[in-house]
Amino acid sequence: MEDLRPLVQQGIAEIQHLLVYTDPEGQPFGFIGVQDQKIEMLFVDPAARGQGIGKSLGTMSYTL
């Protein structure tokens, strides 16, 4: 996973819209990147999978 960090950081810098899903304390659990009305990246913390975070991010991205 650490090998992917530079690629993700580079990709995020070029994304038009970036939405982050956080808990009430502000801890991020996932994010989605949207460019030209197309989902380009979607990441959810493995510890938080199965909780609907990806679905929530996908739904929120429709408003962009």
Side-chain angles (χ1 to χ4, degrees):
M1 290 297 282
E2 281 299 315
D3 294 339
L4 295 175
R5 183 180 297 268
L7 295 173
V8 171
Q9 290 174 332
Q10 177 185 355
I12 287 173
E14 298 172 7
I15 289 294
Q16 187 177 25
H17 300 284
L18 184 69
L19 302 172
V20 180
Y21 187 100
T22 63
D23 68 7
E25 290 81 39
Q27 177 69 31
F29 282 110
F31 65 89
I32 190 169
V34 180
Q35 183 76 28
D36 298 323
Q37 299 180 331
K38 181 175 137 188
I39 295 172
E40 293 291 342
M41 57 179 65
L42 172 63
F43 296 96
V44 177
D45 185 326
R49 289 190 180 151
Q51 299 178 29
I53 293 171
K55 184 176 182 178
S56 294
L57 287 166
T59 300
M60 291 182 343
S61 73
Y62 282 114
T63 64
L64 300 176

Coordinates of all heavy atoms in Angstrom, one line a residue:
M1 N 0.8 -1.2 0.0 CA 0.0 0.0 0.0 C 0.9 1.3 0.0 O 0.5 2.2 -0.6 CB -0.9 0.0 1.2 CG -2.1 -1.0 1.1 SD -3.2 -0.7 -0.2 CE -4.2 0.6 0.4
E2 N 1.9 1.3 0.7 CA 2.8 2.5 0.8 C 3.3 2.8 -0.6 O 3.6 4.0 -0.9 CB 3.9 2.3 1.8 CG 3.5 2.4 3.2 CD 3.0 3.8 3.5 OE1 3.6 4.8 3.1 OE2 1.9 3.9 4.2
D3 N 3.5 1.8 -1.4 CA 4.0 2.1 -2.8 C 3.0 2.9 -3.6 O 3.4 3.6 -4.5 CB 4.3 0.7 -3.5 CG 5.5 0.0 -2.9 OD1 6.3 0.6 -2.2 OD2 5.6 -1.2 -3.1
L4 N 1.8 2.8 -3.2 CA 0.7 3.5 -4.0 C 0.6 5.0 -3.5 O 0.0 5.8 -4.2 CB -0.6 2.8 -3.8 CG -0.7 1.4 -4.4 CD1 -2.1 0.8 -4.1 CD2 -0.5 1.5 -5.9
R5 N 1.1 5.3 -2.4 CA 0.9 6.6 -1.8 C 1.3 7.7 -2.8 O 0.5 8.7 -3.0 CB 1.7 6.8 -0.5 CG 1.5 8.1 0.2 CD 2.2 8.2 1.5 NE 1.8 7.3 2.5 CZ 0.9 7.5 3.4 NH1 0.3 8.7 3.4 NH2 0.5 6.6 4.3
P6 N 2.4 7.7 -3.4 CA 2.8 8.8 -4.3 C 1.8 8.9 -5.5 O 1.5 10.0 -5.9 CB 4.2 8.5 -4.8 CG 4.7 7.5 -3.9 CD 3.6 6.8 -3.3
L7 N 1.3 7.8 -6.0 CA 0.4 7.8 -7.1 C -1.0 8.4 -6.7 O -1.6 9.2 -7.4 CB 0.2 6.4 -7.7 CG 1.4 5.8 -8.3 CD1 1.1 4.3 -8.6 CD2 1.8 6.5 -9.5
V8 N -1.4 8.1 -5.5 CA -2.7 8.6 -5.0 C -2.5 10.1 -4.8 O -3.4 10.9 -5.1 CB -3.1 7.9 -3.7 CG1 -4.3 8.6 -3.1 CG2 -3.4 6.4 -4.0
Q9 N -1.4 10.5 -4.2 CA -1.2 11.9 -3.9 C -1.2 12.7 -5.2 O -1.8 13.8 -5.3 CB 0.0 12.2 -3.1 CG -0.1 11.7 -1.7 CD 1.2 11.8 -0.9 OE1 2.3 11.7 -1.5 NE2 1.1 11.9 0.4
Q10 N -0.6 12.2 -6.2 CA -0.5 12.9 -7.5 C -1.9 12.9 -8.1 O -2.3 13.9 -8.7 CB 0.4 12.1 -8.5 CG 0.5 12.7 -9.9 CD 1.3 11.9 -10.8 OE1 1.9 10.9 -10.4 NE2 1.3 12.3 -12.1
G11 N -2.7 11.8 -8.1 CA -4.0 11.8 -8.6 C -5.0 12.7 -7.9 O -5.8 13.4 -8.6
I12 N -4.9 12.8 -6.6 CA -5.7 13.7 -5.9 C -5.5 15.2 -6.3 O -6.4 15.9 -6.4 CB -5.5 13.5 -4.4 CG1 -6.1 12.2 -3.9 CG2 -6.1 14.7 -3.6 CD1 -5.8 11.9 -2.4
A13 N -4.3 15.5 -6.5 CA -3.9 16.9 -6.9 C -4.6 17.3 -8.2 O -4.9 18.5 -8.5 CB -2.4 17.1 -7.0
E14 N -4.9 16.3 -9.1 CA -5.5 16.6 -10.4 C -7.0 16.4 -10.5 O -7.6 16.7 -11.5 CB -4.8 15.7 -11.4 CG -3.3 15.9 -11.5 CD -2.6 14.9 -12.4 OE1 -3.3 14.0 -13.0 OE2 -1.4 14.9 -12.4
I15 N -7.6 16.0 -9.4 CA -9.0 15.7 -9.4 C -9.8 17.0 -9.2 O -9.5 17.9 -8.3 CB -9.4 14.7 -8.2 CG1 -8.9 13.4 -8.6 CG2 -10.9 14.7 -7.9 CD1 -9.5 12.7 -9.8
Q16 N -10.9 17.2 -9.9 CA -11.7 18.4 -9.9 C -12.5 18.4 -8.6 O -12.6 19.5 -8.0 CB -12.7 18.3 -11.1 CG -13.5 19.5 -11.4 CD -14.3 19.4 -12.6 OE1 -14.6 18.3 -13.1 NE2 -14.7 20.5 -13.2
H17 N -13.1 17.3 -8.2 CA -14.0 17.3 -7.0 C -13.5 16.2 -6.1 O -13.4 15.0 -6.6 CB -15.4 17.1 -7.3 CG -16.0 18.2 -8.2 ND1 -16.3 19.4 -7.7 CD2 -16.3 18.2 -9.5 CE1 -16.8 20.1 -8.7 NE2 -16.8 19.4 -9.8
L18 N -13.3 16.5 -4.8 CA -12.8 15.4 -3.9 C -13.8 15.5 -2.6 O -13.9 16.6 -2.0 CB -11.4 15.6 -3.5 CG -10.8 14.6 -2.5 CD1 -10.6 13.3 -3.3 CD2 -9.5 15.0 -2.0
L19 N -14.5 14.5 -2.3 CA -15.3 14.4 -1.2 C -14.8 13.4 -0.2 O -14.3 12.3 -0.5 CB -16.7 13.9 -1.6 CG -17.5 14.8 -2.6 CD1 -18.7 14.1 -3.1 CD2 -17.7 16.2 -2.1
V20 N -14.8 13.8 1.1 CA -14.2 13.0 2.2 C -15.3 12.6 3.1 O -16.1 13.5 3.6 CB -13.1 13.7 2.9 CG1 -12.5 12.8 4.0 CG2 -12.0 14.1 1.9
Y21 N -15.4 11.3 3.5 CA -16.4 10.9 4.5 C -15.6 10.8 5.8 O -14.6 10.1 6.0 CB -16.9 9.5 4.1 CG -18.0 9.0 5.0 CD1 -19.3 9.1 4.5 CD2 -17.7 8.4 6.2 CE1 -20.3 8.6 5.3 CE2 -18.8 7.9 7.0 CZ -20.1 8.0 6.6 OH -21.1 7.6 7.3
T22 N -16.1 11.5 6.8 CA -15.5 11.5 8.2 C -16.5 11.1 9.2 O -17.7 11.2 9.1 CB -14.9 12.9 8.5 OG1 -16.0 13.8 8.6 CG2 -13.9 13.4 7.5
D23 N -16.0 10.7 10.4 CA -16.8 10.5 11.5 C -17.1 11.8 12.2 O -16.5 12.8 11.8 CB -16.2 9.4 12.5 CG -14.9 9.9 13.2 OD1 -14.6 11.1 13.1 OD2 -14.3 9.0 13.8
P24 N -17.9 11.8 13.3 CA -18.2 13.1 14.0 C -17.0 13.8 14.5 O -17.0 15.1 14.7 CB -19.2 12.7 15.1 CG -19.8 11.5 14.6 CD -18.7 10.7 13.8
E25 N -15.9 13.1 14.8 CA -14.7 13.7 15.3 C -13.8 14.2 14.2 O -12.7 14.8 14.5 CB -13.9 12.8 16.2 CG -14.6 12.5 17.5 CD -15.7 11.4 17.4 OE1 -15.5 10.5 16.6 OE2 -16.7 11.6 18.0
G26 N -14.1 14.0 12.9 CA -13.4 14.5 11.8 C -12.4 13.5 11.3 O -11.6 13.8 10.4
Q27 N -12.4 12.2 11.8 CA -11.5 11.2 11.3 C -12.0 10.7 10.0 O -13.1 10.3 9.8 CB -11.5 10.0 12.3 CG -10.6 8.8 11.9 CD -9.2 9.1 11.9 OE1 -8.7 9.9 12.7 NE2 -8.4 8.5 11.0
P28 N -11.1 10.8 8.9 CA -11.5 10.3 7.6 C -11.6 8.8 7.5 O -10.8 8.1 8.0 CB -10.5 10.9 6.7 CG -9.3 11.0 7.5 CD -9.8 11.3 8.9
F29 N -12.7 8.3 6.8 CA -12.9 6.9 6.6 C -12.9 6.5 5.1 O -12.8 5.4 4.8 CB -14.1 6.4 7.3 CG -14.0 6.2 8.7 CD1 -14.7 7.1 9.6 CD2 -13.3 5.2 9.3 CE1 -14.6 6.9 11.0 CE2 -13.1 5.0 10.7 CZ -13.8 5.9 11.5
G30 N -13.0 7.5 4.3 CA -13.0 7.3 2.9 C -13.0 8.6 2.1 O -13.3 9.6 2.6
F31 N -12.8 8.4 0.8 CA -12.9 9.6 -0.1 C -13.2 9.1 -1.5 O -13.0 8.0 -1.9 CB -11.7 10.5 -0.1 CG -10.4 9.9 -0.6 CD1 -10.1 10.0 -1.9 CD2 -9.5 9.3 0.2 CE1 -8.9 9.5 -2.4 CE2 -8.3 8.7 -0.2 CZ -8.1 8.8 -1.6
I32 N -13.8 10.1 -2.3 CA -14.1 9.8 -3.7 C -13.6 11.0 -4.5 O -13.8 12.2 -4.1 CB -15.6 9.6 -3.9 CG1 -16.0 9.1 -5.3 CG2 -16.4 10.8 -3.5 CD1 -17.4 8.6 -5.4
G33 N -13.1 10.7 -5.6 CA -12.6 11.8 -6.6 C -13.4 11.7 -7.8 O -13.5 10.6 -8.4
V34 N -14.0 12.8 -8.3 CA -14.8 12.9 -9.4 C -14.2 13.9 -10.4 O -13.9 15.1 -10.0 CB -16.2 13.3 -9.1 CG1 -17.1 13.4 -10.3 CG2 -16.8 12.3 -8.1
Q35 N -14.1 13.5 -11.7 CA -13.5 14.4 -12.7 C -14.5 14.3 -13.9 O -14.7 13.2 -14.4 CB -12.1 14.0 -13.1 CG -11.4 14.8 -14.1 CD -10.9 16.1 -13.5 OE1 -10.6 16.2 -12.3 NE2 -10.9 17.2 -14.3
D36 N -14.9 15.4 -14.4 CA -15.8 15.4 -15.6 C -17.0 14.5 -15.4 O -17.3 13.7 -16.3 CB -15.0 15.1 -16.9 CG -13.9 16.1 -17.1 OD1 -14.1 17.3 -16.9 OD2 -12.8 15.7 -17.6
Q37 N -17.6 14.5 -14.3 CA -18.8 13.7 -14.0 C -18.6 12.2 -14.0 O -19.4 11.4 -14.3 CB -20.0 14.1 -14.9 CG -20.4 15.5 -14.7 CD -21.6 15.9 -15.6 OE1 -21.8 15.3 -16.7 NE2 -22.4 16.9 -15.2
K38 N -17.3 11.8 -13.7 CA -16.9 10.4 -13.7 C -16.1 10.1 -12.5 O -15.2 10.9 -12.1 CB -16.1 10.1 -15.0 CG -15.6 8.7 -15.1 CD -14.9 8.5 -16.4 CE -13.7 7.7 -16.2 NZ -12.8 7.7 -17.4
I39 N -16.5 9.1 -11.8 CA -15.7 8.7 -10.6 C -14.4 8.2 -11.0 O -14.3 7.2 -11.8 CB -16.5 7.6 -9.8 CG1 -17.8 8.1 -9.2 CG2 -15.6 7.0 -8.6 CD1 -18.7 7.1 -8.6
E40 N -13.3 8.8 -10.6 CA -12.0 8.4 -10.9 C -11.3 7.7 -9.8 O -10.4 6.9 -10.1 CB -11.1 9.7 -11.2 CG -11.6 10.4 -12.5 CD -11.3 9.6 -13.8 OE1 -10.5 8.7 -13.7 OE2 -11.9 10.0 -14.8
M41 N -11.7 7.9 -8.6 CA -11.1 7.1 -7.5 C -12.1 7.0 -6.3 O -12.9 7.9 -6.1 CB -9.8 7.8 -7.0 CG -9.9 9.2 -6.6 SD -8.4 9.9 -6.0 CE -7.4 9.9 -7.5
L42 N -12.1 5.9 -5.6 CA -12.9 5.7 -4.5 C -12.1 4.8 -3.5 O -11.7 3.7 -3.9 CB -14.2 5.0 -4.9 CG -15.1 4.5 -3.7 CD1 -15.6 5.7 -2.9 CD2 -16.3 3.7 -4.2
F43 N -11.9 5.3 -2.3 CA -11.1 4.6 -1.3 C -11.9 4.6 0.0 O -12.4 5.6 0.4 CB -9.8 5.2 -1.0 CG -8.9 5.1 -2.2 CD1 -8.8 6.2 -3.1 CD2 -8.1 4.0 -2.5 CE1 -7.9 6.2 -4.2 CE2 -7.2 4.0 -3.6 CZ -7.2 5.0 -4.4
V44 N -12.0 3.4 0.7 CA -12.6 3.3 2.0 C -11.6 2.5 2.9 O -11.1 1.5 2.5 CB -14.0 2.6 1.9 CG1 -14.6 2.4 3.3 CG2 -15.0 3.3 1.0
D45 N -11.4 3.0 4.1 CA -10.6 2.4 5.0 C -11.0 0.9 5.2 O -12.2 0.7 5.4 CB -10.7 3.1 6.4 CG -9.7 2.6 7.4 OD1 -9.5 1.4 7.5 OD2 -9.3 3.4 8.2
P46 N -10.1 0.0 5.1 CA -10.5 -1.4 5.2 C -11.3 -1.7 6.5 O -12.2 -2.5 6.6 CB -9.2 -2.2 5.2 CG -8.3 -1.3 4.4 CD -8.7 0.1 4.8
A47 N -10.9 -1.0 7.6 CA -11.6 -1.2 8.9 C -13.0 -0.7 8.9 O -13.8 -1.1 9.8 CB -10.8 -0.5 10.0
A48 N -13.4 0.1 7.9 CA -14.7 0.7 7.9 C -15.6 0.1 6.8 O -16.7 0.6 6.5 CB -14.6 2.2 7.7
R49 N -15.0 -0.9 6.0 CA -15.8 -1.4 4.9 C -17.1 -2.2 5.4 O -17.1 -2.7 6.5 CB -14.9 -2.4 4.1 CG -13.9 -1.6 3.4 CD -13.1 -2.5 2.4 NE -12.2 -1.7 1.7 CZ -11.0 -2.1 1.2 NH1 -10.7 -3.4 1.3 NH2 -10.2 -1.3 0.6
G50 N -18.1 -2.2 4.6 CA -19.3 -2.9 4.9 C -20.3 -2.0 5.7 O -21.3 -2.5 6.2
Q51 N -20.0 -0.7 5.8 CA -20.8 0.2 6.6 C -21.5 1.2 5.7 O -22.2 2.1 6.2 CB -19.9 1.0 7.6 CG -19.3 0.1 8.6 CD -18.4 0.8 9.6 OE1 -18.6 2.0 9.9 NE2 -17.3 0.2 10.1
G52 N -21.4 1.0 4.4 CA -22.2 1.9 3.5 C -21.4 3.2 3.2 O -22.0 4.1 2.5
I53 N -20.2 3.3 3.5 CA -19.4 4.5 3.3 C -19.2 4.8 1.8 O -19.4 5.9 1.3 CB -18.1 4.5 4.0 CG1 -18.3 4.6 5.5 CG2 -17.2 5.7 3.6 CD1 -17.1 4.4 6.4
G54 N -18.8 3.7 1.0 CA -18.7 3.8 -0.4 C -20.0 4.2 -1.1 O -20.0 5.1 -2.0
K55 N -21.0 3.6 -0.7 CA -22.4 3.9 -1.2 C -22.7 5.4 -0.9 O -23.2 6.1 -1.8 CB -23.4 3.0 -0.6 CG -24.8 3.2 -1.2 CD -25.7 2.2 -0.7 CE -27.1 2.3 -1.3 NZ -28.1 1.3 -0.8
S56 N -22.5 5.8 0.3 CA -22.8 7.2 0.6 C -21.9 8.2 -0.2 O -22.5 9.2 -0.7 CB -22.5 7.5 2.1 OG -23.4 6.8 2.9
L57 N -20.7 7.9 -0.4 CA -19.8 8.8 -1.2 C -20.3 8.8 -2.6 O -20.3 9.8 -3.3 CB -18.4 8.3 -1.1 CG -17.6 8.6 0.2 CD1 -16.3 7.8 0.3 CD2 -17.4 10.1 0.3
G58 N -20.7 7.6 -3.2 CA -21.2 7.6 -4.5 C -22.4 8.4 -4.7 O -22.6 9.1 -5.7
T59 N -23.3 8.3 -3.7 CA -24.6 9.0 -3.8 C -24.3 10.5 -3.7 O -24.9 11.3 -4.4 CB -25.5 8.6 -2.6 OG1 -25.8 7.2 -2.7 CG2 -26.8 9.4 -2.6
M60 N -23.4 10.9 -2.8 CA -23.0 12.4 -2.7 C -22.4 12.9 -4.0 O -22.6 14.1 -4.3 CB -22.1 12.6 -1.5 CG -22.7 12.4 -0.2 SD -21.7 12.7 1.3 CE -20.1 12.7 0.8
S61 N -21.7 12.0 -4.7 CA -21.0 12.5 -5.9 C -22.0 12.8 -7.0 O -21.7 13.6 -8.0 CB -20.0 11.4 -6.4 OG -20.7 10.3 -7.0
Y62 N -23.2 12.3 -7.0 CA -24.2 12.7 -8.0 C -24.6 14.1 -8.0 O -25.1 14.7 -9.0 CB -25.5 11.8 -7.8 CG -25.4 10.4 -8.3 CD1 -25.4 9.4 -7.4 CD2 -25.2 10.2 -9.7 CE1 -25.3 8.1 -7.9 CE2 -25.1 8.9 -10.1 CZ -25.1 7.8 -9.2 OH -25.0 6.5 -9.7
T63 N -24.4 14.8 -6.9 CA -24.8 16.2 -6.8 C -23.7 17.2 -7.4 O -24.0 18.4 -7.5 CB -25.0 16.6 -5.3 OG1 -23.7 16.5 -4.6 CG2 -26.0 15.8 -4.6
L64 N -22.6 16.6 -7.8 CA -21.5 17.5 -8.4 C -21.8 17.7 -9.9 O -22.3 17.0 -10.6 CB -20.2 16.8 -8.2 CG -19.8 16.5 -6.8 CD1 -18.5 15.7 -6.7 CD2 -19.7 17.7 -6.0

